[in-house]
């Protein structure tokens, strides 16, 4: 009630009528599932906080709503034949929200900060190959790399490479995550425990944008409460939408559902260094033993698609594999018997303790029981799971047998869909290869793919990698979840993109 009293009184004193739609002020509210962790993109690990930061900040490149690479603060670039030196022409006439001009020195300040391992930033790996940043002139910068790297522009489009005002970095230091100052469409207003508010940047460099006056991100963990916000117009967009609640939202004629393919792969990683998972026949058997269509129906109420290769179909350089692991219990049993496990075996599978993760793990548990594999399912709180995966320095000390997990490659490129997860030099704690999978053919292909800027050569390298990974089956390839969200029909220009992120630059309320 208090929230509306002052605007009402002001309107009456001004002698104006307050008739008209509730959207007249164009204040957009978004219901989100978790709290934002920080607003320093270089130190963010979660997609939600990346989306929040993206309202205020930008990088040299970004992605459009179809996850296609687009220039932002860079206008053009050149790269040498060995993919070790990139030169960028920067956009002129852009200022940070604090009035600091955007120029090559601002880029250097940010990239030197991100690439320096001493700063211990979570996204340092995006620029780990950066050897030197050279300011050529105010609007030209050259990045010299320590090794060939063909996907640099995709890495620069990742939210982790967005650029702070150098003045803000100097002023706030390690507290920059609570004082974001960028060049984006909205400016920081406030951030409390569960609420972030940003307001229109009247000096934004893109004419006619943004169209709304403010955006508020409100953390509401309980699914029913988020949906209530949408139905009462307290929020105009909420995500994620639980599959079991889709029909409830569809029944409201003022609302609509977003249901679109993502690049969020779901899989079970199997520790290929431990018995019985060191035998590829066992890993192939478990793939045949899981009905992937039933997985989509049971776990996601049908709002999921197949994972038909090591990376999702919307990721760059994806190649669908011809020999799919179709549901075949007889074949699964035969492979297990051939590998020396005619009666199956016992193992543990762990994953996050969220509702959907538990549902997914229980489904896999039930499926594998049909071929004699008895799984103990262990749901873990996020911090406990992280410690279990990252708390080991040597592969032989890892306690992982099976991990139910997922991955979204926010660079939009095959490199980030494969190298962190399946490269033989990427075991924890360096990267995320929880399967402890190593294959010389795959390693060579991944390194070839990243070692050139020639797209034809990269495509061939990633084709080889995907083919071999599929044959070796270090994962149970479960599926690709759909993006599910609810929105007001009066909201336009608001995009829920394939990596699970939000784009609000063009948002408008009719």
């Amino acid at each position: 009630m208090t929230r509306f009293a002052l605007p009402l009184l002001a309107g009456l004193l001004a002698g104006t009528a307050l008739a008209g739609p509730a959207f007249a002020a164009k204040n957009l509210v978004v219901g989100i599932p978790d709290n934002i962790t920080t607003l320093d993109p270089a130190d963010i690990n979660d997609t939600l906080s990346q989306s929040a930061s993206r309202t205020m900040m930008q990088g040299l490149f970004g992605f459009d709503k179809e996850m296609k690479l687009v220039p932002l603060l860079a206008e053009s670039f050149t790269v040498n034949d060995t993919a070790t030196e990139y030169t960028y022409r920067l956009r002129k006439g852009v200022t940070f929200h604090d009035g600091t001009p955007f120029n090559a020195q601002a880029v250097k300040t940010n990239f030197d900060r991100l690439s320096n391992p001493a700063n211990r930033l979570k996204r340092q790996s995006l620029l780990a190959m950066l050897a030197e940043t050279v300011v050529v002139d105010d609007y030209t910068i050259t990045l010299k790399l320590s090794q060939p790297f063909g996907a640099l522009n995709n890495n620069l489009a990742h939210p982790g490479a967005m650029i702070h005002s150098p003045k803000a970095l100097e002023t706030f230091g390690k507290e920059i995550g609570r004082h974001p100052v960028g060049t984006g469409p909205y400016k920081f207003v406030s951030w409390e425990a569960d609420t972030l508010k940003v307001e229109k940047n009247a000096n934004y460099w893109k004419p006619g944008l943004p169209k709304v006056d403010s955006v508020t991100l409100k953390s509401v963990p309980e699914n029913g409460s988020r949906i209530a916000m949408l139905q009462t117009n307290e929020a105009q967009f909420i995500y994620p939408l639980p599959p079991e609640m889709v029909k409830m939202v569809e029944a409201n004629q003022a609302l609509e559902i977003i249901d679109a393919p993502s690049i969020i792969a779901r899989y079970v990683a199997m520790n290929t260094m431990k018995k019985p998972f060191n035998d590829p026949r066992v890993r192939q058997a478990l793939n045949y033993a899981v009905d992937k269509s039933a997985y989509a129906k049971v776990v996601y109420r049908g709002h999921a698609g197949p994972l038909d290769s090591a990376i999702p179909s919307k990721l760059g350089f994806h190649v669908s594999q011809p020999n799919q692991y179709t549901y075949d219990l007889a074949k699964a049993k035969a492979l297990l018997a051939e590998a020396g496990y005619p009666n199956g075996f016992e193992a543990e599978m762990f994953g996050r303790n969220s509702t959907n993760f538990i549902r997914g793990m229980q489904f896999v548990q039930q499926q594998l029981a049909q071929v004699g594999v008895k799984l103990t399912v262990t749901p873990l709180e996020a911090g406990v799971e992280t410690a279990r995966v990252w708390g080991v320095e040597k592969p032989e000390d890892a306690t992982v047998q099976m991990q139910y997990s997922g991955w979204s490659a926010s660079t939009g490129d095959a490199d980030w869909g494969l190298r962190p997860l399946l490269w033989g030099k990427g075991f924890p704690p360096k990267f995320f290869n929880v399967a402890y999978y190593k294959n010389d053919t795959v390693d060579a292909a991944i390194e070839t793919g990243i070692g050139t800027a020639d797209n034809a050569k990269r495509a061939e390298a990633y084709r080889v990698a995907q083919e071999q990974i599929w044959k070796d089956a270090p994962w149970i390839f479960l599926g690709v979840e759909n993006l599910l969200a609810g929105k007001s029909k009066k909201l336009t220009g608001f995009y829920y993109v394939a990596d699970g992120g939000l784009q609000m630059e063009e948002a408008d309320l009719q």
Side-chain angles (χ1 to χ4, degrees):
M1 295 289 290
T2 307
R3 217 172 2 171
F4 300 104
L6 290 176
L8 177 61
L9 179 60
L12 291 174
L13 289 174
T16 57
L18 293 180
F23 290 136
K26 292 199 174 183
N27 297 315
L28 171 62
V29 178
V30 180
I32 58 179
D34 300 297
N35 286 341
I36 294 162
T37 57
T38 180
L39 296 171
D40 176 7
D43 207 31
I44 289 173
N45 254 347
D46 64 287
T47 305
L48 171 57
S49 299
Q50 289 175 356
S51 295
S53 299
R54 191 157 45 196
T55 62
M56 299 167 279
M57 305 184 70
Q58 296 172 306
L60 298 190
F61 294 87
F63 294 103
D64 65 15
K65 62 182 180 180
E66 303 298 332
M67 285 291 291
K68 303 298 184 185
L69 191 73
V70 293
L72 290 177
L73 297 178
E75 290 190 326
S76 62
F77 79 99
T78 57
V79 57
N80 66 359
D81 291 340
T82 57
T84 56
E85 189 170 305
Y86 291 72
T87 297
Y88 299 92
R89 289 292 297 169
L90 305 179
R91 189 173 299 279
K92 297 179 180 179
V94 177
T95 58
F96 291 95
H97 301 152
D98 60 4
T100 303
F102 167 75
N103 54 29
Q105 186 57 50
V107 177
K108 177 177 173 60
T109 298
N110 277 267
F111 287 1
D112 287 353
R113 170 181 182 258
L114 175 58
S115 64
N116 186 352
N119 291 328
R120 302 181 68 84
L121 296 168
K122 293 183 178 70
R123 291 299 181 182
Q124 187 266 340
S125 61
L126 290 171
L127 289 180
M129 75 302 292
L130 182 59
E132 185 181 4
T133 312
V134 180
V135 173
V136 179
D137 59 41
D138 280 353
Y139 293 99
T140 310
I141 192 161
T142 295
L143 304 186
K144 296 184 177 182
L145 311 184
S146 60
Q147 62 195 58
F149 194 82
L152 183 63
N153 289 345
N154 285 79
N155 277 25
L156 295 181
H158 189 285
M162 293 191 294
I163 295 171
H164 290 281
S165 160
K167 180 181 177 181
L169 282 171
E170 182 180 359
T171 302
F172 299 112
K174 292 184 178 180
E175 294 300 312
I176 189 68
R178 299 202 67 85
H179 303 277
V181 181
T183 59
Y186 304 98
K187 301 190 297 184
F188 178 74
V189 175
S190 62
W191 176 29
E192 300 167 1
D194 63 354
T195 305
L196 169 70
K197 184 172 183 179
V198 297
E199 65 182 5
K200 182 176 186 175
N201 174 14
N203 298 314
Y204 189 43
W205 58 271
K206 289 189 179 183
L209 295 176
K211 297 177 180 179
V212 297
D213 299 306
S214 72
V215 178
T216 299
L217 302 183
K218 178 81 172 171
S219 174
V220 184
E222 204 279 313
N223 291 334
S225 298
R226 270 199 320 280
I227 289 175
M229 289 175 66
L230 183 67
Q231 291 181 320
T232 59
N233 198 37
E234 185 180 347
Q236 291 77 49
F237 183 95
I238 63 164
Y239 89 108
L241 183 64
E244 60 270 22
M245 296 185 176
V246 166
K247 290 185 178 180
M248 180 189 304
V249 175
E250 286 178 333
N252 188 327
Q253 294 186 358
L255 307 176
E256 61 187 16
I257 301 295
I258 293 175
D259 183 0
S262 77
I263 56 170
I264 304 170
R266 290 293 171 201
Y267 57 88
V268 176
M270 296 171 278
N271 189 336
T272 60
M273 288 190 172
K274 290 186 180 293
K275 290 184 177 182
F277 306 109
N278 60 341
D279 190 324
R281 293 170 296 186
V282 170
R283 304 192 301 265
Q284 292 167 354
L286 301 196
N287 270 285
Y288 284 116
V290 176
D291 185 338
K292 313 305 190 330
S293 296
Y295 171 81
K297 292 176 183 176
V298 172
V299 180
Y300 291 98
R301 302 295 198 274
H303 300 284
L307 180 58
D308 64 356
S309 187
I311 56 176
S313 61
K314 290 179 74 70
L315 211 57
F317 302 110
H318 163 270
V319 178
S320 179
Q321 299 306 303
N323 300 313
Q324 290 292 304
Y325 291 106
T326 52
Y327 183 50
D328 190 333
L329 290 179
K331 194 165 189 175
K333 290 176 180 178
L335 282 167
L336 285 174
E338 186 181 321
Y341 300 96
N343 300 313
F345 55 85
E346 295 183 6
E348 181 208 26
M349 176 171 58
F350 67 85
R352 294 283 177 91
N353 62 350
S354 68
T355 301
N356 224 48
F357 268 60
I358 292 171
R359 184 186 295 158
M361 288 190 288
Q362 289 175 341
F363 176 84
V364 174
Q365 179 187 44
Q366 292 163 0
Q367 293 279 290
L368 297 189
Q370 298 177 97
V371 293
V373 176
K374 298 175 182 177
L375 290 187
T376 299
V377 168
T378 307
L380 299 174
E381 186 272 327
V384 176
E385 183 191 39
T386 298
R388 182 163 178 185
V389 171
W390 301 105
V392 295
E393 293 293 333
K394 296 182 294 184
E396 54 267 28
D397 294 335
T399 61
V400 176
Q401 290 183 294
M402 304 172 74
Q403 183 198 25
Y404 182 93
S405 192
W407 183 258
S408 172
S410 292
T411 65
D413 187 84
D415 167 64
W416 205 244
L418 295 173
R419 188 162 52 95
L421 302 173
L422 295 161
W423 185 39
K425 301 174 186 176
F427 301 156
K430 180 176 181 178
F431 276 145
F432 308 90
N433 187 350
V434 182
Y436 292 93
Y437 169 70
K438 180 171 177 55
N439 178 283
D440 290 343
T441 299
V442 172
D443 289 351
I446 287 174
E447 290 162 17
T448 297
I450 205 59
T452 178
D454 185 319
N455 279 342
K457 292 178 181 177
R458 298 192 73 216
E460 174 58 18
Y462 292 127
R463 182 197 66 78
V464 170
Q466 290 172 73
E467 183 180 281
Q468 188 64 48
I469 291 165
W470 191 257
K471 179 181 177 182
D472 290 345
W475 298 346
I476 301 175
F477 303 96
L478 293 174
V480 180
E481 66 180 70
N482 281 14
L483 301 170
L484 279 178
K487 64 180 285 291
S488 166
K489 288 183 178 178
K490 295 186 177 181
L491 174 62
T492 61
F494 186 111
Y495 305 117
Y496 191 13
V497 294
D499 68 344
L502 307 176
Q503 292 184 0
M504 297 171 247
E505 178 186 57
E506 300 176 7
D508 197 7
L509 291 168
Q510 304 302 319

